[in-house]
Amino acid sequence: MSFSPSVQMASLFTYLLFLLAIFFISPGVSLTLKRGFYRKTCPSAEAIVMSTVKAALASDPGIPAALIRLHFHDCFVRGCDASILLDSTLSNRAEKESMGNKGVQGFQVIDEAKAKIEAQCPNTVSCSDILAFAARDSVTLAGGLHYGVPSGRRDGRVSFAAEVTQNLPDAFFNVTQLKQTFARKGLSMEEMVTLSGAHSIGDSHCSSFSKRLYSFDKTSAQDPSMDPSYARLLKGKCPRPLNTRSGPDPLVPFDPVTPNRLDNNYYKNLRSSKGLLASDQVLWNSTLTRKFVKENVNHPSAWAAKFAAAMVHMGSIDVVTGKQGEIRKNCRVVN
Ligand code: HEM
Ligand SMILES: *[C@@H]1O[C@H](CO)[C@@H](O)[C@H](O)[C@H]1NC(C)=O
Ligand SMILES: *[C@@H]1O[C@H](CO)[C@@H](O)[C@H](O)[C@H]1NC(C)=O
């Protein structure tokens, strides 16, 4: 069978349309962000972020945890638009002031990277991309994982404290609520479990979980899903009375064994009833998510690959691109 040139052209055209259609409907593929976005306009941008994060890590081992959490909290509130980096003004309380952002830190690392990048390529690299690169570099430095991060995000112009708690998961959410919070951002239940592995590094204030130790519910003062010896250890670090408004609120590492190593030990802790937050332990104690926890216990490198992919997916939530938004000169204030 032979086709006339015009028929061949037509079928080639159909085929190309088909490819385009597949490209456009692929879930989780960001059409606007691309790897190496600054290759021509600011070739050293990503290297500057990496060296800044490395230097900060040398004096503070908590930096990777801080930057990963900062990126997560940025992306879940108004998308990955660096709204979390904006300071409050006389007339506006910014996101960072919300209780939901209790303990967020690492802002000075972003400021440093931004200052160095502005010196080389003014008005070119967004704060939201710098934060996405810094979170990726944190995963690399704390977990030994290497992956590319698509860029081309622009920065938003507003930040409202009142929008934070309605968009972020709460430490006492059950699996259904956690699933919903992530689904609203286009992330699956498995991605929620995968990303929770970030709680293999960093710290939590006692106030984020001490209800599990002293006033869990009507039937048990102590959360029955917590290993009793782990509860005893935590009570030693978090003595009562404790409330969130006054008094000491110590920090406790999420993973007492390898506190600064991003690995699948988090899931092993859950299996031994040693999850720190209620929202961690429910991933094991709910039948909806236990299978994912088991897989992550048994297949560390599969978890690592899923983690990198889920971070990239999270980094594409509601991004501002093209002519929208702006490239902030100072990540703490709008231009
Ligand atoms: C699944 C729902 C989640 C809940 C309920 C949750 C909640 C929390 C809470 C309460 C803290 C401690 C805050 C404090 O008391 O100082 C924390 C810390 C942290 N979270 Fe999450 N989180 C969740 C998911 C995630 C995700 C998806 C990531 C990143 C991919 C993440 C990364 C971190 C990190 C790295 C820390 C430690 C921060 C530091 O040491 O500076 N979390 N989280
Ligand atoms: C989760 O919490 C919600 C809100 O409190 C509640 O309606 C629901 O029944 C809970 N689901 C499970 C599985 O416990
Ligand atoms: C949670 O899981 C552990 C370990 O499988 C089990 O022993 C315990 O009974 C569960 N606790 C609750 C409250 O579901």
Side-chain angles (χ1 to χ4, degrees):
M1 198 149 50
S2 75
F3 294 109
S4 72
S6 67
V7 170
Q8 277 184 21
M9 279 302 287
S11 55
L12 180 68
F13 185 69
T14 316
Y15 177 68
L16 285 176
L17 266 184
F18 178 70
L19 279 186
L20 263 177
I22 288 194
F23 183 72
F24 276 96
I25 60 178
S26 303
V29 174
S30 173
L31 303 170
T32 40
L33 304 180
K34 58 172 193 197
R35 288 190 195 186
F37 184 81
Y38 299 108
R39 198 169 285 143
K40 292 220 172 70
T41 53
C42 192
S44 50
E46 294 195 40
I48 292 174
V49 175
M50 177 52 117
S51 69
T52 308
V53 174
K54 243 188 206 164
L57 167 61
S59 54
D60 180 354
I63 289 294
L67 294 170
I68 293 168
R69 183 164 182 240
L70 212 47
H71 182 46
F72 162 49
H73 284 207
D74 181 33
C75 293
F76 267 55
V77 183
R78 276 192 175 262
C80 315
D81 69 341
S83 52
I84 197 170
L85 302 179
L86 289 172
D87 282 341
S88 294
T89 62
L90 282 174
S91 56
N92 183 60
R93 276 180 76 236
E95 287 174 22
K96 56 173 73 158
E97 244 68 66
S98 163
M99 267 307 293
N101 276 326
K102 185 181 171 65
V104 288
Q105 46 183 345
F107 297 102
Q108 79 292 346
V109 183
I110 304 301
D111 290 339
E112 252 175 71
K114 177 67 171 172
K116 286 185 205 154
I117 289 174
E118 282 300 296
Q120 285 204 8
C121 346
N123 310 317
T124 306
V125 183
S126 66
C127 296
S128 43
D129 277 343
I130 291 175
L131 182 50
F133 295 145
R136 182 269 314 273
D137 297 340
S138 296
V139 173
T140 302
L141 294 169
L145 284 175
H146 297 260
Y147 57 95
V149 162
S151 46
R153 296 169 191 79
R154 291 167 66 85
D155 301 324
R157 293 196 173 95
V158 293
S159 174
F160 302 117
E163 291 180 341
V164 174
T165 50
Q166 72 207 54
N167 284 293
L168 286 175
D170 183 90
F172 285 92
F173 272 3
N174 62 36
V175 165
T176 312
Q177 296 168 303
L178 291 171
K179 181 188 166 186
Q180 277 169 1
T181 308
F182 280 69
R184 266 186 246 125
K185 304 297 165 185
L187 300 179
S188 69
M189 186 161 70
E190 182 170 12
E191 287 177 307
M192 183 265 287
V193 177
T194 301
L195 287 168
S196 293
H199 288 176
S200 109
I201 56 173
D203 310 299
S204 169
H205 287 89
C206 290
S207 55
S208 299
F209 59 83
S210 58
K211 190 172 155 242
R212 301 185 71 199
L213 306 173
Y214 298 113
S215 51
F216 185 63
D217 63 17
K218 289 192 188 75
T219 45
S220 19
Q222 194 169 300
D223 186 342
S225 70
M226 185 186 281
D227 172 79
S229 68
Y230 186 51
R232 212 157 30 243
L233 176 107
L234 292 176
K235 280 177 164 171
K237 297 184 177 211
C238 304
R240 59 193 317 194
L242 181 84
N243 75 51
T244 53
R245 289 180 206 288
S246 64
D249 193 359
L251 285 169
V252 173
F254 270 102
D255 178 357
V257 185
T258 51
N260 300 315
R261 183 81 198 152
L262 182 63
D263 57 19
N264 74 331
N265 209 50
Y266 168 78
Y267 301 100
K268 296 180 187 166
N269 290 339
L270 301 186
R271 191 184 51 178
S272 346
S273 304
K274 290 176 180 168
L276 188 57
L277 305 179
S279 60
D280 294 319
Q281 194 56 50
V282 291
L283 302 181
W284 173 260
N285 275 74
S286 162
T287 50
L288 289 172
T289 43
R290 182 177 289 199
K291 63 176 180 298
F292 298 128
V293 175
K294 279 184 184 164
E295 279 170 22
N296 294 338
V297 166
N298 294 327
H299 306 287
S301 51
W303 166 73
K306 284 193 296 179
F307 187 79
M311 284 293 286
V312 169
H313 193 189
M314 185 178 86
S316 74
I317 297 171
D318 295 339
V319 289
V320 179
T321 55
K323 292 188 162 61
Q324 305 164 267
E326 63 182 21
I327 305 293
R328 254 176 243 155
K329 290 188 210 315
N330 173 343
C331 294
R332 292 173 183 270
V333 292
V334 294
N335 292 345

